[in-house]
Amino acid sequence: MARILKNKELVNTKLATNYGGWMYCEACEENIGYLCYSTYDRIELNYVCQCGSKGSAFLDFQDSHEGSDSQNELVIVKNRLCCPKDKEPLITILEKKLTSYELKITCKACEQIYKQERK
């Protein structure tokens, strides 16, 4: 069942579809990652692309839950950042395409908010 977006704010960022799929920097058209459609509940991503462009993405849904901060880190499974509880993929960030990023993503299943950054 398709989810209904409450907020979708993209700055210098394109998504392949309405709320997921491949993510691109609008300035250089480079692929910067992949946002999994059905496993996240909310995402806040701020980044600086290798081309120098600053971009961001903020998405959440009408049925999103507030979530609670997790002390755990996302786990990497086959280059995907996954929920440490069920190992489901949430997002892939192509770090070689970004000089820095800050990520805050909520897992739909466990309602935990995971944070990750590279400066």
Side-chain angles (χ1 to χ4, degrees):
M1 179 170 116
R3 299 182 76 194
I4 299 169
L5 282 167
K6 181 169 75 174
N7 294 295
K8 180 179 180 180
E9 299 169 15
L10 303 175
V11 176
N12 294 326
T13 305
K14 289 191 311 188
L15 288 175
T17 63
N18 194 28
Y19 55 84
W22 294 109
M23 302 181 339
Y24 300 91
C25 169
E26 276 192 327
C28 66
E29 299 292 322
E30 285 289 328
N31 180 347
I32 61 165
Y34 185 87
L35 181 58
C36 299
Y37 297 91
S38 60
T39 55
Y40 81 95
D41 206 26
R42 176 185 172 105
I43 181 171
E44 295 177 53
L45 173 66
N46 295 292
Y47 66 89
V48 178
C49 182
Q50 288 287 350
C51 75
S53 176
K54 292 181 181 179
S56 64
F58 169 62
L59 293 96
D60 68 351
F61 301 91
Q62 287 185 351
D63 62 349
S64 289
H65 295 97
E66 188 171 325
S68 57
D69 288 334
S70 176
Q71 299 304 311
N72 298 317
E73 294 186 13
L74 294 166
V75 296
I76 298 173
V77 179
K78 295 184 181 177
N79 87 337
R80 298 177 185 133
L81 296 173
C82 301
C83 174
K85 294 184 184 234
D86 62 10
K87 307 294 188 279
E88 287 293 321
L90 297 169
I91 189 170
T92 300
I93 294 181
L94 301 176
E95 289 196 9
K96 66 182 178 185
K97 302 288 178 112
L98 303 178
T99 59
S100 64
Y101 69 88
E102 293 179 11
L103 170 68
K104 191 164 128 178
I105 192 164
T106 306
C107 176
K108 184 179 174 189
C110 72
E111 298 180 5
Q112 293 287 295
I113 301 168
Y114 298 100
K115 298 175 184 173
Q116 183 160 323
E117 66 179 64
R118 185 181 111 195
K119 298 267 180 186

